Amino acid sequence: MTSSGLPGFRDFYPEDFALRDHIVSGWREVARRYGFVEYDGPPLEPLELYTDKSGPEIVDQLYTFVDKGNRAIALRPEMTPTLARMVGARAQALPKPIKWFSIPQLFRYERPQRGRLREHFQLNMDIVGETDVMSDAELVAAAIDAVRHFGLDSEDFTARVSDRGLIGIVLQEVGVPKGRIVEAILALDKAERQGDEWLAARLTELGVDEAGVRSVVDVREHDLDGLTAHFAGSRDVAEAADRLRAFFALMSDHGLSAYVTFDPRLARGLAYYTGLVFELWEREGRLRAICGGGRYDDLLAAVGGPDLPALGFGMGDVVLGELLKEKGLVPERQTSVDDFVVYVTPAQRSAAIRVARRLRERGRGVAMDYRGRSVGRQFRAADQLGASRTIVIGPDEERDQTASVRDMATGEEKVVPLIGLIEGV
RNA sequence: GUGGGCGUAGCUCAGUCGGUUAGAGCGCCAGGUUGUGGCCCUGGAGGUCGCGGGUUCGAUUCCCGUCGCUCACCCCA
């Protein structure tokens, strides 16, 4: 091979770009249906924007450099800090709730693998300035629809839902000190991969007694009712659970019950989530999470922005694209050619160009042969390009101001007046 | 960042127990006589056998390194 591009960065050949466009357009359409408006920010940001709040897991993997003005720069790894800044600057003026979406290209310096590159496009949908559980449900519904839009359904993927508020209260009940709740939640997330013994050791470290440890390990197997029963004595648990129940009821109103499951094992790695958290997973589980998000009511204030509650999710194009390819849901072929105009002899070239021009003015995609090859070869070119019609201009047509129009799918061909051809478009 | 597997034409792959012109299918290009595609036929282009070094009379084939891809770990958008 000759020189290749940077590892983890993609070249988009026309067929690749077609898939990317398919995904991005679909997302835009779904976001629009939910009443979100699009925004964007710069792909480069000051490094400090991320070092403060994002947590070490993101900072370790930043793409950074120093610019000619000696500024420390990062390629944006996520959109939320940019969103926080932008919303912050106009927080007073914007009607609430603020429902914004963006499809930024994001960058991470880490080892590329299947479904994880150093760059991807990510749909971000956020709602700022609303605490009602109805907004939680609508956001999750939008995330689910952003996947369903491409032809996947509850057979293919599922949404795991939990609530950090609830889990935090549970952890407090079993004896985790208040100041270490977030650590315990992150441990819970990590336990997915490390196993129960690791979790038990970690919880003991955090000051949980043996009974409490057992309780937490058990809790991970409970459904919502089981969980409330287990902590029947706790008013706080009951209240937090009620909010989740309300959430599931709303998901039912959205007609999406089949997609959502309570899963107390889900915690999400990022430190800033405060309430609802969710992830979309392919059912077969071979790929990574398709999407993840949740409520982060304290984040905007924490980064010096307005004190507004918020929630949002991110959904990348890489895993979703892999999934669509696997399921055969990638659109067939893309062509920009509607009509191919054939000229039979060089004498008709000018007339044919004029016809092409008039069709283009009407919005048709038109291609022609450049070299005056045989009619047969021109037809073959029309076929290769996927033209839906081939329009032949020969001596007869030129004389009669007509064109022979062939439907490439059916093979049906008829002679029509030029005027009719142009105006019939 | 750690460890394993892989790396031959645009794509999917064959092949060389080290030997002198590296193959197939698909794709691409040109023809198959002057007004019609999808089939077919003929011909052609295209490979420093990832890159660098070593062993050897000789390496695409063996060894080392490196880069890339990939899987697992790590981590997660």
Side-chain angles (χ1 to χ4, degrees), chain A residues 32-337:
Chain A
R32 189 194 61 76
R33 282 191 223 154
Y34 278 84
F36 285 65
V37 290
E38 190 164 6
Y39 71 99
D40 198 3
L44 303 183
E45 291 279 13
L47 179 58
E48 312 89 74
L49 187 63
Y50 306 106
T51 48
D52 303 342
K53 53 122 297 217
S54 286
E57 60 279 348
I58 283 177
V59 173
D60 288 346
Q61 297 172 339
L62 283 173
Y63 237 109
T64 61
F65 65 96
V66 176
D67 75 4
K68 291 175 180 176
N70 226 18
R71 282 176 284 258
I73 308 291
L75 277 68
R76 60 182 174 194
E78 58 167 335
M79 202 56 181
T80 309
T82 303
L83 171 73
R85 183 187 59 216
M86 291 174 64
V87 167
R90 296 195 182 173
Q92 315 281 2
L94 294 166
K96 318 293 181 302
I98 300 160
K99 293 165 71 176
W100 283 7
F101 81 99
S102 189
I103 307 177
Q105 188 176 24
L106 303 178
F107 306 88
R108 287 290 177 83
Y109 196 90
E110 62 179 347
R111 186 98 159 226
Q113 255 180 58
R114 180 153 188 244
R116 175 223 270 171
L117 305 170
R118 285 183 173 175
E119 140 283 311
H120 75 160
F121 292 89
Q122 188 191 66
L123 169 65
N124 276 250
M125 292 179 72
D126 291 272
I127 301 174
V128 178
E130 181 57 65
T131 54
D132 195 280
V133 67
M134 189 171 166
S135 64
D136 298 47
E138 194 178 76
L139 186 81
V140 174
I144 290 169
D145 275 345
V147 176
R148 289 180 68 224
H149 182 80
F150 301 102
L152 295 158
D153 61 25
S154 57
E155 304 277 299
D156 304 305
F157 75 101
T158 186
R160 303 164 62 200
V161 178
S162 184
D163 189 307
R164 278 211 182 170
L166 174 61
I167 300 301
I169 289 164
V170 163
L171 289 167
Q172 216 172 309
E173 290 285 330
V174 301
V176 177
K178 227 177 174 145
R180 310 197 71 176
I181 295 290
V182 171
E183 271 179 85
I185 286 176
L186 295 180
L188 214 48
D189 182 63
K190 212 168 173 177
E192 277 282 83
R193 304 175 290 269
Q194 302 289 341
D196 287 353
E197 281 178 32
W198 180 91
L199 176 63
R202 192 79 185 88
L203 287 171
T204 307
E205 225 175 289
L206 290 167
V208 179
D209 65 20
E210 205 179 313
V213 167
R214 210 172 321 113
S215 188
V216 170
V217 172
D218 288 350
V219 151
R220 295 165 66 241
E221 305 306 324
H222 284 313
D223 61 13
L224 194 50
D225 290 337
L227 190 69
T228 34
H230 192 96
F231 290 93
S234 166
R235 216 201 152 103
D236 291 341
V237 168
E239 269 176 28
D242 280 347
R243 185 181 169 96
L244 258 186
R245 282 207 187 78
F247 169 84
F248 283 108
L250 285 161
M251 291 312 291
S252 171
D253 292 336
H254 279 285
L256 297 172
S257 283
Y259 291 87
V260 287
T261 326
F262 173 62
D263 186 343
R265 290 168 300 180
L266 177 75
R268 305 268 310 143
L270 291 178
Y272 54 66
Y273 290 113
T274 54
L276 175 99
V277 285
F278 73 99
E279 286 181 350
L280 266 41
W281 283 83
E282 183 205 7
R283 280 212 188 268
E284 290 165 55
R286 281 167 298 120
L287 296 175
R288 301 150 58 76
I290 304 167
C291 161
R295 181 169 277 282
Y296 50 95
D297 285 344
D298 303 331
L299 180 63
L300 296 191
V303 299
D307 188 7
L308 287 172
L311 68 161
F313 71 83
M315 180 184 299
D317 72 314
V318 179
V319 172
L320 182 59
E322 296 277 350
L323 204 48
L324 295 184
K325 281 184 206 161
E326 258 177 50
K327 303 274 183 186
L329 293 170
V330 176
E332 283 286 306
R333 78 186 290 190
Q334 43 116 36
T335 177
S336 53
V337 177

